[in-house]
Amino acid sequence: MKKKILIKVGTHVLGRDNGRLNYNRIADLVDQIIILRESYQVILVSSGATRAGKEFCQFENEKDPLIKRQMLASIGQGRLFQVYSDFFREHSVVTAQALLTSGNFRNKNSFQNMKSTLEGLLENNIMPIINENDVTSHKESSFGDNDQLAALTGAMLNIDLLVLVSDIIGFYTADPKRDPKAKLIRKVERITPELLTLCENSLSEGGTGGMLSKLKAAELATQHGIPTIVCSGKEPDCLLKAGRLESSGTYFTPVNEKKQLSLRGSWMTTSADVKGVIRIDLGAEKALKENKSLLAVGVTGVEGKFNEKDVVLIQNNEGIRIGTGLTNHSNSVIKEFVKTKNKPKGVVVIHKNHLYTLF
Ligand code: GLU
């Protein structure tokens, strides 16, 4: 069975300075994907619908930027997919389009449908090309620049490598476009809160995400055991180098081993609507590794407002995500457990049957 690689290509990689699509670049990326397909099952997440739409219309009088973006995307998506399909057809590869929203991930039935459809396409050697369904996405829940969409899709499909292709070589100590002293970080072992702060304001011009969203995507992927590479689409053979783990960009090491989760487990750890966070101590972490339930004695902190049966994240004291589960108690009850010196013995906070760990 071939390993799975998901490649996400950003708008800046596909566009020229004159605002049009860069057809040579798309052809080159397709050529590389064709070679990668000899050793990997490849999934492509591509932005660029809005950019492609601008080749036809500008909507200069449209006041609402969201409506403008949605109209441009609805014009450009067909064009973008057609360009990819034409280049893939030169290699006799059949393409399939999937337009997804964050709501589709939160809904368990949609999640199941997306997963089975995409897996079916891969098994039949079809090339899936994914983008956000910009026309139906709400402003608040939009994926923006597709990094999160790529990481979620990757975790859902249990991929082996995530490649985020950008217009910047990799992850720097500062924004290299503004700070000449910025240094490229070749390898990131762990995405710490300090690292997230480091790149908080580095939104790439014209795009909607920048390095912060790449870091968050890499965080989700590496916690699911998926190594992640951020590299430049302008570098020759960038995809082939990434596929051989020889990229000159940044490599994010997986934090956990890759795990084969059930459909419910994979939905719970990636997409279910999380209402809060429960932090646990080392003893509880050890118990969870042995597939035991989470007991009140091991809980050290709680965040958010939730009721019993809500979905919560479980973090260790370093803030690393360990898993997800359905809580037996509300946040206020758990807060009492945390405060009292004599912790109640044997009280189950999350039962092992409703708990999905990432290690
Ligand atoms: N879904 C958007 C598009 O295809 C992504 C825009 C972006 O990269 O920020 O245009």
Side-chain angles (χ1 to χ4, degrees):
M1 178 88 159
K2 282 182 190 169
K3 288 189 167 184
K4 291 193 194 97
I5 184 171
L6 187 146
I7 294 161
K8 180 258 163 175
V9 182
T11 296
H12 291 289
V13 180
L14 302 176
R16 287 189 189 281
D17 292 343
N18 66 8
R20 296 179 72 85
L21 284 181
N22 185 336
Y23 295 96
N24 292 343
R25 170 124 342 112
I26 298 178
D28 174 56
L29 292 172
V30 168
D31 286 346
Q32 291 185 59
I33 290 174
I34 294 297
I35 299 172
L36 272 182
R37 279 167 55 96
E38 288 165 19
S39 35
Y40 282 104
Q41 288 187 328
V42 185
I43 304 115
L44 177 64
V45 171
S46 179
S47 302
T50 317
R51 180 65 70 103
K54 284 185 185 155
E55 292 197 352
F56 299 92
C57 295
Q58 295 294 325
F59 297 122
E60 265 149 16
N61 296 329
E62 176 53 57
K63 297 272 179 309
D64 185 333
L66 178 67
I67 300 289
K68 182 170 169 173
R69 194 167 81 93
Q70 289 176 317
M71 290 198 294
L72 288 170
S74 78
I75 293 165
Q77 179 58 36
R79 172 73 180 141
L80 180 70
F81 182 69
Q82 182 197 5
V83 173
Y84 274 119
S85 296
D86 287 349
F87 285 129
F88 275 111
R89 206 159 52 170
E90 281 180 22
H91 302 274
S92 307
V93 171
V94 179
T95 47
Q97 174 176 255
L99 300 178
L100 314 176
T101 63
S102 59
N104 295 150
F105 281 87
R106 280 197 301 276
N107 180 298
K108 191 158 161 270
N109 289 337
S110 305
F111 183 91
Q112 176 164 18
N113 290 339
M114 295 189 295
K115 185 171 157 70
S116 338
T117 306
L118 291 168
E119 282 173 351
L121 290 167
L122 291 173
E123 271 159 34
N124 285 284
N125 217 15
I126 311 281
M127 179 69 221
I129 304 177
I130 300 169
N131 196 356
E132 177 164 15
N133 189 345
D134 291 302
V135 178
T136 64
S137 285
H138 295 288
K139 199 177 186 177
E140 320 76 62
S141 60
S142 160
F143 284 118
D145 71 355
N146 283 347
D147 292 321
Q148 199 67 13
L149 169 63
L152 280 175
T153 310
M156 174 177 79
L157 296 175
N158 216 9
I159 58 166
D160 300 278
L161 181 61
L162 173 66
V163 184
L164 302 173
V165 186
S166 159
D167 58 340
I168 303 179
I169 275 284
F171 184 67
Y172 282 80
T173 50
D175 182 350
K177 285 179 182 161
R178 292 186 220 162
D179 184 350
K181 288 200 203 107
K183 278 202 181 69
L184 177 70
I185 306 176
R186 293 299 310 275
K187 194 170 185 180
V188 176
E189 300 280 356
R190 183 150 288 197
I191 298 169
T192 56
E194 294 77 46
L195 209 54
L196 284 161
T197 326
L198 188 74
C199 71
E200 216 131 56
N201 295 317
S202 76
L203 297 186
S204 66
E205 285 164 37
T208 47
M211 274 301 151
L212 182 61
S213 84
K214 287 187 180 48
L215 209 54
K216 287 187 175 163
E219 186 181 30
L220 181 95
T222 54
Q223 285 175 345
H224 280 83
I226 303 165
T228 302
I229 291 172
V230 172
C231 62
S232 165
K234 295 178 179 167
E235 190 193 342
D237 291 342
C238 57
L239 302 185
L240 298 178
K241 286 182 193 157
R244 295 194 299 263
L245 303 184
E246 289 167 6
S247 173
S248 40
T250 303
Y251 179 85
F252 294 85
T253 311
V255 184
N256 295 308
E257 299 264 307
K258 201 158 88 92
K259 200 171 166 183
Q260 207 65 45
L261 287 160
S262 62
L263 176 83
R264 185 163 183 257
S266 138
W267 176 71
M268 286 275 286
T269 62
T270 58
S271 310
D273 206 3
V274 167
K275 300 286 188 209
V277 178
I278 294 179
R279 259 189 308 280
I280 63 169
D281 65 14
L282 263 177
E285 194 174 337
K286 190 165 164 279
L288 262 49
K289 277 189 180 146
E290 291 162 5
N291 293 325
K292 293 184 180 150
S293 297
L294 174 63
L295 300 182
V297 280
V299 177
T300 57
V302 60
E303 267 171 41
K305 207 170 171 323
F306 51 83
N307 296 314
E308 57 186 273
K309 301 261 180 332
D310 276 344
V311 179
V312 290
L313 277 189
I314 306 161
Q315 285 183 353
N316 67 12
N317 274 337
E318 287 171 64
I320 303 290
R321 186 195 309 202
I322 281 175
T324 310
L326 288 187
T327 173
N328 278 349
H329 305 280
S330 68
N331 63 303
S332 38
V333 173
I334 296 176
K335 213 171 255 168
E336 289 306 314
F337 295 155
V338 176
K339 273 202 262 167
T340 101
K341 278 210 173 107
N342 299 322
K343 308 262 184 229
K345 291 224 165 66
V347 172
V348 174
V349 173
I350 302 179
H351 190 270
K352 59 182 179 178
N353 291 351
H354 301 294
L355 195 157
Y356 299 91
T357 57
L358 292 170
F359 37 56

